[in-house]
Amino acid sequence: PAPPGPGCRAEGLGMPPAALPGWLQPGHRAHLSCLCPLLPRNRGLEDFSARLAAGPTLQHFLRNASPPQETCPQLAEEPEEPEPYLTSSILEKAGRKVYLETYGCQMNVNDTEIAWAVLQKSGYLRTHQLEEADVILLVTCSVREKAEQVIWNRLQHLTALKSKRLRTQAPLRIGILGCMAERLKEEILHKEKLVDIVAGPDAYRDLSRLLAVAETGQQAANVLLSLDETYADILPVQTSLDATSAFVSVMRGCDNMCSYCIVPFTRGRERSRPLASILREVKVLSDQGVKEVTLLGQNVNSFRDTSEVQFLSAATPGLSRGFSTIYNAKEGGLRFAHLLDQASRVDPEMRIRFTSPHPKDFPDEVLQLIQERHNICKQLHLPAQSGSSRILEAMRRGYTREAYLELIQHVRDSIPGVSLSSDFIAGFCGETEDDHQQTVSLLRQVRYNVGFFFAYSMRQKTRAYHRLQDDVPAEVKRRRLEELISVFREEATRANRAMVGRSQLVLVEGPSKRSATELCGRNDGNIRVVFPDTEMEDGTGSGAVVRAQPGDYVLVKVRLVWLSFPGGSRVFGGGRSKGWGQLSLFVCAFLCLQMNSEHKCE
């Protein structure tokens, strides 16, 4: 700062130093030096106030307090300890291998691929064998208490593994990534002393640096949420090179603030990827032979690309009739209908799905596009959560039972034969037996094809945690959950029996887990189909006989329908994803009619 000018003393203002505002205290030498030419000695407070009112503007003070860069040479910074960034010598010395485990939703599967892309670029190697790993990273879920308990239990096993590490081996590093890292960062670092790094959903770019810090023996964390991070410039590395399907993240975060949901607090505010980057990724996947892409987002159909100025003048679509939001309408931007249209044009033989949507964001143009475009799957996920308008209001869902049922009817009128799935929560705060029975009746009335059911688990930071009481006993939650599952199974069996005797176009995924002599895949409605692995015509009319391979489209005739309630694990890449309360339909097709790897989804 500049030295004070002549006569620049606090008492020259006619005021004791203690009476001066903070920015006029004697210690603020730069500010006083600017004022000195304007303040004659021994002037009264009135004279000072009058002169101050007619004095210089804020810009004058800023110019004097911060001299232009060209007139003030850059001072040499004080030497600091170098940041322990990851260097090639570290990698070459240890040959670091990373093992990734994924828990939770499809977004976490995609996050795993992003994290691996970052680490691969930094020179890490990938292993699918836990015993070979030098770094173990868990991509976690925090949506329910049970999901977090799974991670705590897993950490006990991994930390025991770490303590048994041979001294001749490189130290084993353990990291927690994703939503649980964001929500319980301090508890993880303090409770589990053997956890080396903690990285939130918006900190995957920082993984290499965090691991480098861990190499020095320190714990490292980055759980800062971002207003603009979408990882648009990072091409996820597919965990399975021969996969027939892939996930593409199109937006992150959620602004809905449902009272039960932790997602806005672990994933942050909504922000969408630029459309161009999404289409490039879909094209890359098509070139790699992927036959099905699922567009992902916490509220995927609220997609809004504002990356270019001209997009801001785009028309704003309305909400579904009878639906509302807690926030004002967001003007401009390319919307989900445009994304869906462009993504489905990249490869007409690639199926397009999307999840998870909010029922409020289904304007007619989206429904019409789904109906018209042959490769956009005729399957919608419409999370209801409850069949009681009173509970829906407490959940801050933005609609009533009546508005939801009206949307269901509109969807079925617009997309004949559409397959519907939904989410339900049993035992939310204040739920009475009458509220529960209204949810039961909604299940019977809508008759979903697929359902996901969960007992309510209160989460800290949510509105329900601060404003409501978790007053439904655990045993009541369990009973209501079991009743919802039972009713769903009954109604879904009736709904899916309509496929018996009909032909379904199935995308082959691979061998069935039921039998080595069977294959499995999914139809347009995302229903799993199991069928014999037999020779069949190739569909070209040449009479050639072939066997179906993953990525082929197979035409099958359905002979039997049954429901399965998997309570175990689903494996993704090098790890596993726990699923609880998830119901899916399995269709057994005993007669294969035709197969054609070039078949369009018409």
Side-chain angles (χ1 to χ4, degrees), residues 42-178:
N42 301 322
R43 289 285 188 182
L45 183 59
E46 295 90 359
D47 188 32
F48 165 65
S49 300
R51 289 175 179 270
L52 187 63
T57 65
L58 174 63
Q59 292 301 319
H60 173 85
F61 289 105
L62 293 176
R63 284 194 299 271
N64 283 274
S66 302
Q69 192 71 22
E70 60 270 18
T71 63
C72 183
Q74 183 73 32
L75 297 177
E77 294 185 357
E78 194 76 22
E80 296 179 353
E81 289 293 323
E83 287 284 347
Y85 286 106
L86 193 65
T87 63
S88 58
S89 61
I90 293 177
L91 296 173
E92 291 171 0
K93 179 180 178 182
R96 309 296 277 168
K97 293 183 179 180
V98 62
Y99 178 89
L100 291 152
E101 282 190 2
T102 309
Y103 297 79
C105 67
Q106 297 97 325
M107 284 294 293
N108 280 1
V109 178
N110 185 253
D111 279 6
T112 302
E113 296 171 349
I114 291 172
W116 170 228
V118 171
L119 293 173
Q120 186 182 55
K121 188 176 180 180
S122 296
Y124 278 86
L125 305 175
R126 180 76 180 271
T127 179
H128 296 282
Q129 302 299 321
L130 185 64
E131 297 75 16
E132 296 179 354
D134 301 299
V135 177
I136 300 173
L137 301 177
L138 309 184
V139 184
T140 62
C141 174
S142 195
V143 71
R144 279 171 293 278
E145 183 179 357
K146 184 171 183 178
E148 292 182 350
Q149 189 56 51
V150 169
I151 301 300
W152 291 123
N153 294 340
R154 184 61 168 158
L155 281 175
Q156 294 298 319
H157 171 73
L158 295 179
T159 51
L161 185 67
K162 184 175 184 178
S163 64
K164 297 176 182 178
R165 188 85 162 179
L166 297 177
R167 292 186 178 182
T168 56
Q169 296 177 286
L172 177 62
R173 305 302 180 190
I174 298 174
I176 301 296
L177 278 54

Side-chain angles (χ1 to χ4, degrees), residues 420-438:
L420 297 179
S421 60
S422 190
D423 297 337
F424 288 93
I425 296 174
F428 183 68
C429 304
E431 184 186 72
T432 66
E433 196 61 32
D434 179 64
D435 295 322
H436 169 65
Q437 291 304 320
Q438 289 185 55

Side-chain angles (χ1 to χ4, degrees), residues 508 510-512 515-521 529-536 545-550 552 554 556 588-592 595:
V508 181
S512 168
S515 170
T517 63
E518 294 176 330
L519 296 173
C520 71
V529 181
V530 179
F531 55 95
D533 181 10
T534 61
E535 293 183 338
M536 64 192 82
V545 176
V546 296
R547 287 183 179 274
Q549 301 297 321
D552 289 335
V554 178
V556 304
C588 188
F590 288 112
L591 178 62
C592 297
M595 185 278 291

